[in-house]
Amino acid sequence: TNRIFIPEVFFTNNCLTGEDVIKSTRVLGELDGIFGDRQAFDGMDKDQVIYQVSSYLPVLENTPGGLFMGITTLYPGKVGSEFFMTKGHFHSNSDRAEFYWGVEGEGMLILMNEQREVWAERIFPGSLHYIPGKVAHRVANTGYQKLVFSACWPSDAGHDYATISAAGFAQRLIDVNGVPTLV
Ligand code: M6P
Ligand code: ZN
């Protein structure tokens, strides 16, 4: 059956429903080890919701040639001086690329290649980001309101979280006197 897809509704109300839409929630406790300030992390509520992702998966995971789409709402906040951020990942099929685009709020897309070189792009409503293959990607909310961004990626990309869990990103996005700074 065909799905009637109304981008405005998907974006503003985050309300696509159906069995091929997967909603997931990440609470702070699931981001253990990601933030640099262990003491600040330990003092925080582990049930606090950091971000939610609605993914529209029109084909089965791992199908070659298909596309997936997601919309992520990342709440504002910090662990110590480090902005709330997504887990971040490489793709399991490492050469697969992805688009991100900003919908609402402000943030930074943090990127890292296999040589562990890190750079960042500012996300804002209407910003478009091409993430090449073999580049890990993570998003931080640098604002005071929720950050909403959307993504489109190949259905056979897969998520490799292990590499980032083990070695992290080579730089962190820290609030230095009100200025988001990679350190
Ligand atoms: C985007 C896409 C998804 C990803 C989500 C959250 O919507 O890249 O594939 O799952 O962001 O990012 P992460 O999986 O790194 O927590
Ligand atoms: Zn990805």
Side-chain angles (χ1 to χ4, degrees), residues 80-96:
S81 57
E82 191 171 12
F83 296 101
F84 281 0
M85 58 188 178
T86 58
K87 271 185 100 160
H89 57 272
F90 285 99
H91 290 152
S92 308
N93 277 314
S94 62
D95 66 354
R96 300 300 192 269

Side-chain angles (χ1 to χ4, degrees), residues 139-171:
V139 170
N141 186 340
T142 56
Y144 295 98
Q145 34 160 350
K146 67 183 181 181
L147 170 65
V148 182
F149 68 94
S150 200
C152 182
W153 67 100
S155 47
D156 62 353
H159 294 82
D160 166 18
Y161 293 109
T163 308
I164 296 302
S165 297
F169 274 59
Q171 294 187 59

Side-chain angles (χ1 to χ4, degrees), residues 112-124:
M112 182 176 75
N113 64 19
E114 290 181 324
Q115 289 69 49
R116 297 187 54 76
E117 294 164 326
V118 175
W119 67 102
E121 296 177 8
R122 202 166 73 83
I123 301 181
F124 52 90

Side-chain angles (χ1 to χ4, degrees), residues 18-167:
E19 56 207 43
D20 46 9
V21 173
I22 311 287
K23 280 203 165 205
S24 65
T25 297
R26 290 251 192 240
V27 297
L28 186 61
E30 295 170 274
L31 301 174
D32 197 355
I34 291 232
F35 295 98
D37 189 336
R38 164 58 55 185
Q39 209 183 333
F41 181 88
D42 286 345
M44 292 173 71
D45 172 13
K46 301 303 176 298
D47 295 327
Q48 181 178 358
V49 174
I50 308 302
Y51 60 101
Q52 285 167 310
V53 187
S54 292
S55 303
Y56 174 34
L57 313 179
V59 295
L60 285 176
E61 286 245 35
N62 246 359
T63 305
L67 292 170
F68 290 159
M69 186 167 182
I71 186 159
T72 300
T73 300
L74 174 59
Y75 294 97
K78 285 182 279 190
V79 177
S81 57
E82 191 171 12
F83 296 101
F84 281 0
M85 58 188 178
T86 58
K87 271 185 100 160
H89 57 272
F90 285 99
H91 290 152
S92 308
N93 277 314
S94 62
D95 66 354
R96 300 300 192 269
E98 183 163 3
F99 275 120
Y100 274 15
W101 60 97
V103 175
E104 191 181 327
E106 282 181 53
M108 294 289 270
L109 168 60
I110 307 165
L111 302 155
M112 182 176 75
N113 64 19
E114 290 181 324
Q115 289 69 49
R116 297 187 54 76
E117 294 164 326
V118 175
W119 67 102
E121 296 177 8
R122 202 166 73 83
I123 301 181
F124 52 90
S127 66
L128 180 65
H129 311 270
Y130 179 70
I131 303 163
K134 304 186 182 189
V135 172
H137 35 290
R138 147 182 293 171
V139 170
N141 186 340
T142 56
Y144 295 98
Q145 34 160 350
K146 67 183 181 181
L147 170 65
V148 182
F149 68 94
S150 200
C152 182
W153 67 100
S155 47
D156 62 353
H159 294 82
D160 166 18
Y161 293 109
T163 308
I164 296 302
S165 297

